[in-house]
Amino acid sequence: MKVEMRGLTKHFGSTVAVEDFTVTLEDGHLTSILGPSGCGKSTVLNLLAGIVPATRGEILFDGEAVTGLPPELRGIGLVFQNYSLYPHMTVLGNISFPLEIKKVPRAQREESARAMAALVHVDNLLHRKPRELSGGQQQRVAIARALVKKPNLLLLDEPLSNLDARLRLEMREEIRRIQQETRVTTVFVTHDQEEAMSISDRIVLMNAGRLQQEDEPQRLYHEPRNQFVADFLGTPPINHLPGHMKGGAFILEGGQARFPFSRGAGAPEGRPLILAVRAESAHVPDPDEGALFSASVESIYAMGKEVLGYFDIGGHSFRCYLDGDMLPRPGTEIPIAFRERGTFLFDGETGERLL
Ligand SMILES: Nc1ncnc2c1ncn2[C@@H]1O[C@H](COP(=O)(O)OP(=O)(O)OP(=O)(O)O)[C@@H](O)[C@H]1O
Ligand SMILES: [Mg+2]
């Protein structure tokens, strides 16, 4: 099912939870809603579910407005962080409960529940109670219960955050598999960039109630629309070098370093800018390549095949990866150049991307 949000807005008193949110989720896609704590992710999900009413704006399911429709008429399946299984019911009872409410005959609802249990791989646990299950198993049951009514839209709010690191990895792959087998349009809320990057067809990145960018994971990483997007994605975080353009060169704040940054030629002169460089986008240039600037080495961490260097460039800290066979000593100076990919120029005041 295709889901459209148009100008969707939710205020709680004076708190702006979601503001003028316009996004389309394509049929059959898994879309993650990603952003820092408090940015409005759960509110968007609850607006889609019909649990909270919108202050303004519209929601359309396959072109039909559902903005005023109660949750039970929206054809959605919901899974929250704390699974909320019924403790006194067995796995089979939990999964078939939504069908019992719909007064589906017993034989039929058992058949559907067993099929869902098989889909999420808990068909060998049907007669256990929730307390006899691991966290990952409970989460599988919660997903089966959300899917048993054959929803048009599956909504998952941080479904993995109660699981330990290993189970999280396993379950996120499971969610992807289940989603691909059922092709149900899915919205997955998370604040974990790696989780979102690894399982999504599209990512909706939010900050402070507003949409920042909606895109394929790789495009979000390689073509961020603004500095918030560039900062939010990637480990270690992207480097920032503040400065301004003058006479075709980037003048680093502090005035010491002046880089002949030809790509910056189109940027407005005199304005405060941020030159942002991903850790994998800086490198030690070959002698004939020409150094962009000189960096003094603070510390070097060799982590298996990767070497991460901490540098100081004109008073600004800078991190980048080095070739494994090159271990410069702390206190020395090395030349550094940037690759075009992963180097961006942002407006220092608005955060908008200029290059
Ligand atoms: N029922 C409510 N009443 C008042 N304010 C609310 C209510 N629900 C959410 N808010 C506020 O709206 C904003 C967005 O909250 P929301 O729960 O959507 O954030 P979130 O992105 O899901 O955060 P988290 O990652 O911590 O779950 C926050 O400032 C929150 O305090
Ligand atoms: Mg939330």
Side-chain angles (χ1 to χ4, degrees), residues 36-43 46 81 157-158 189 191:
S37 184
C39 74
K41 304 181 296 295
S42 295
T43 304
N46 293 338
Q81 177 178 343
D157 194 350
E158 307 248 8
V189 166
H191 60 265

Side-chain angles (χ1 to χ4, degrees), residues 76-93:
I76 48 163
L78 264 173
V79 178
F80 294 105
Q81 177 178 343
N82 55 354
Y83 337 127
S84 48
L85 298 177
Y86 308 112
H88 57 286
M89 287 186 194
T90 62
V91 166
L92 190 63

Side-chain angles (χ1 to χ4, degrees), residues 191-269:
H191 60 265
D192 182 332
Q193 48 146 330
E194 202 191 311
E195 208 162 271
M197 292 291 280
S198 66
I199 69 167
S200 314
D201 293 304
R202 311 279 297 187
I203 295 178
V204 168
L205 184 54
M206 293 181 73
N207 186 35
R210 291 181 179 273
L211 175 67
Q212 301 297 308
Q213 189 167 351
E214 187 268 335
D215 230 317
E216 288 168 12
Q218 287 303 312
R219 275 189 57 83
L220 215 60
Y221 186 79
H222 292 296
E223 298 294 341
R225 188 187 291 161
N226 60 39
Q227 197 185 337
F228 177 84
V229 178
D231 289 351
F232 197 81
L233 298 174
T235 33
I238 196 163
N239 295 290
H240 293 170
L241 295 173
H244 61 274
M245 291 303 295
K246 194 174 176 192
F250 182 82
I251 314 292
L252 187 67
E253 200 179 284
Q256 301 292 340
R258 181 188 163 90
F259 315 136
F261 182 54
S262 56
R263 274 179 68 220
E269 299 230 330

Side-chain angles (χ1 to χ4, degrees), residues 18-34:
V18 175
E19 184 68 25
D20 197 19
F21 200 77
T22 298
V23 170
T24 298
L25 315 178
E26 293 300 332
D27 179 39
H29 272 183
L30 191 161
T31 304
S32 288
I33 301 184
L34 177 67

